[in-house]
Amino acid sequence: MTRDPAARRRHWQEAGDVLLVYRETMGRPPRLGDAPGAALAAGPQRALYLAVDGAGRVTAFNGHVDLGTGIRTALAQIVAEELDVPLAQVAMDLGSTATAPDQGGTIASETIQIAAIPLRQAAATARRHLVEAASRRLNRGVAELAVESGTVRVAAEPERGVSYGELVRGDRIELTLDPDAPVKPVADYTLVGRPVPRVDIPAKAVGAWTYIHDVRVPGMVHGRVVRPPSAGVDIAFGGRLASVDEASVAHIPGLVGVVVVGDFVGVVAEREENAAEAARCLSVTWRPWAALPDLNRPEAALRDNPATARKLLDRGDVERALTHAQARLDRTYVWPYQMHGSIGPSCAVAEFRDGDLVVWSGTQNPHVLRSDLALLLDMAEERIAIERHEAAGCYGRNCADDVAADAALLARAVGRPVRCSSPASRSMPGSRRARPR
């Protein structure tokens, strides 16, 4: 299947020799920047959950992504179990906004307990239809049939059977997910609940797995972002950039351009090492910023923030109860800062194609990222596709995924696909960084 998200979406929209299971929903979850009631205003949504093609291959679609917990394998087990097909016959399409349903962010290890349920129901919906189709084809009652390895057979005459592929060949079947479709009894499980080799490990073991850092597209160039010297502020507050001396990087080989959008400053070059060198050499003057608290004392900084007390519960006489308590314990519990540090830099690739944007990202929130980019770039969400690849870890910047925004801004400015890595170059302390000699 092509890596082009628009082509993949069209494939499932137009393909023949296929059975598709869709789920009807009442609009996507609300997003930052939405007008009140926007999610409901979006109206009913039709999300693809499952496909069975004319060769009997199964593709399952899930909006959550694999953060190293093995859900790519576990979800495939669930689908293969419910359909009675070999595990190797199931492919998982995870986290692509072009094809997978919007199920929110991949957080709190909730995929199996929440997102897997409709996927199981989709597989059960498909199985019921296929068995009923086989019943008509074989002229036998449903109770007389059994399914094994993707083939529906007459239980009393095992030589008589018809495969899933044969049942969908020559047709395009679209089903609506039925939450009441009968699911397989747990006692009959042969895959779920049993250890199986993870499907991603063989390619990872030999270095053949495509991580986000490995993504390459034709005509791609490399970008870096130069940020203000105040750690933790970056460009969020605006009005900090005073000037950029583009002449300071004129000597960099293969320089494509210097990009300035408000307080956003980046450089783009033909080769990655040249982009990194340009980010180090670019002379930028920032206005001073002295409003930051001491970030070595985060508890004090949080307590000193303006706040309005909110009474959540007012029941009984708390002070009287404490006064008469045999033992009163007054304690303050502080959860110290824990660094969410990935083992490698964040990375993203962005490309504009005829006014549409494709972003390859290590995000754990692909649909949320699409909404954020739409807000940032003033684009319609349907014109943005996020293609998710595994990154160098889970925690850290993969939730906000600011590097995807960096790549998109740079790609829009230079009119070419841009691969951007972060953490990017940061100005040294002081308001100005001079060009090295």
Side-chain angles (χ1 to χ4, degrees):
M1 187 70 69
T2 175
R3 283 196 340 185
D4 182 343
R8 287 208 327 278
R9 182 171 57 241
R10 285 195 304 272
H11 169 78
W12 296 117
Q13 289 172 342
E14 302 168 3
D17 298 329
V18 68
L19 178 150
L20 304 168
V21 181
Y22 290 90
R23 186 188 189 194
E24 305 286 348
T25 65
M26 283 306 297
R28 63 161 174 76
R31 300 278 189 258
L32 180 67
D34 279 346
L40 291 178
Q45 303 292 309
R46 197 162 175 253
L48 180 59
Y49 272 71
L50 193 80
V52 181
D53 68 17
R57 293 183 298 259
V58 180
T59 304
F61 304 87
N62 198 269
H64 285 195
V65 301
D66 198 330
L67 299 174
T69 55
I71 69 162
R72 183 181 297 276
T73 304
L75 293 175
Q77 280 181 269
I78 292 170
V79 172
E81 185 73 80
E82 209 60 50
L83 283 170
D84 273 313
V85 298
L87 182 61
Q89 215 164 300
V90 178
M92 294 303 308
D93 189 331
L94 301 178
S96 169
T97 61
T99 51
D102 183 355
Q103 296 168 307
T106 309
I107 56 173
S109 299
E110 68 177 14
T111 298
I112 297 301
Q113 61 180 314
I114 295 177
I117 294 173
L119 198 56
R120 183 188 185 198
Q121 294 167 340
T125 301
R127 178 194 170 100
R128 180 178 63 186
H129 175 91
L130 291 164
V131 170
E132 290 174 350
S135 172
R136 294 188 292 271
R137 179 83 63 95
L138 298 169
N139 196 27
R140 288 289 188 275
V142 168
E144 301 176 69
L145 304 178
V147 184
E148 182 183 359
S149 296
T151 297
V152 187
R153 301 185 187 278
V154 179
E157 305 171 63
E159 70 280 359
R160 291 194 61 197
V162 57
S163 71
Y164 284 167
E166 292 174 272
L167 290 168
V168 303
R169 218 169 290 152
D171 203 355
R172 178 182 170 87
I173 305 159
E174 296 189 6
L175 306 176
T176 298
L177 183 151
D178 181 1
D180 297 320
V183 294
K184 183 191 265 191
V186 173
D188 295 340
Y189 281 179
T190 59
L191 273 173
V192 169
R194 303 192 182 192
V196 299
R198 274 180 48 169
V199 298
D200 54 326
I201 296 300
K204 289 177 177 176
V206 299
W209 188 262
T210 302
Y211 290 93
I212 181 60
H213 308 78
D214 302 318
V215 172
R216 301 290 186 273
V217 298
M220 185 183 79
V221 290
H222 298 267
R224 287 290 190 278
V225 175
V226 179
R227 305 195 190 275
S230 304
V233 174
D234 287 352
I235 58 174
F237 294 97
R240 301 219 44 218
L241 180 64
S243 64
V244 176
D245 180 9
E246 296 192 23
S248 62
V249 291
H251 65 290
I252 301 294
L255 184 70
V256 174
V258 176
V259 177
V260 179
V261 183
D263 277 6
F264 176 86
V265 181
V267 292
V268 181
E270 295 284 350
R271 294 180 60 87
E272 184 173 16
E273 66 270 25
N274 292 335
E277 180 65 13
R280 284 190 291 269
C281 293
L282 186 66
S283 180
V284 182
T285 302
W286 303 97
R287 296 185 179 90
W289 176 265
L292 274 184
D294 182 359
L295 295 184
N296 292 313
R297 300 174 61 243
E299 180 194 355
L302 291 171
R303 290 187 180 279
D304 291 343
N305 277 336
T308 301
R310 238 178 352 123
K311 190 173 290 186
L312 300 179
L313 183 66
D314 188 358
R315 188 173 64 204
D317 190 338
V318 175
E319 289 304 321
R320 182 168 174 236
L322 288 173
T323 300
H324 291 86
Q326 285 188 329
R328 172 169 176 158
L329 301 177
D330 293 305
R331 300 288 186 272
T332 298
Y333 295 93
V334 177
W335 184 11
Y337 172 76
Q338 303 293 324
M339 178 181 178
H340 284 183
S342 296
I343 62 174
S346 298
C347 182
V349 179
E351 179 180 14
F352 281 85
R353 300 173 177 172
D354 301 323
D356 293 340
L357 171 63
V358 181
V359 176
W360 292 266
S361 166
T363 181
Q364 62 193 77
N365 300 321
H367 287 83
V368 177
L369 175 60
R370 180 178 65 171
S371 297
D372 289 344
L373 290 176
L375 191 62
L376 173 70
L377 301 168
D378 194 23
M379 293 177 64
E381 282 189 34
E382 57 267 24
R383 304 209 68 170
I384 301 174
I386 308 299
E387 291 292 285
R388 199 271 175 178
H389 288 264
E390 290 190 36
C394 167
Y395 296 106
R397 302 166 86 141
N398 302 339
C399 220
D401 205 41
D402 50 358
V403 71
D406 295 341
L409 288 169
L410 294 173
R412 184 176 66 174
V414 301
R416 294 178 64 178
V418 172
R419 176 181 181 271
C420 191
S421 278
S422 181
S425 177
R426 184 178 296 280
S427 297
M428 298 301 291
S431 62
R432 182 179 178 85
R433 184 178 55 200
R435 171 181 167 181
R437 296 186 179 183

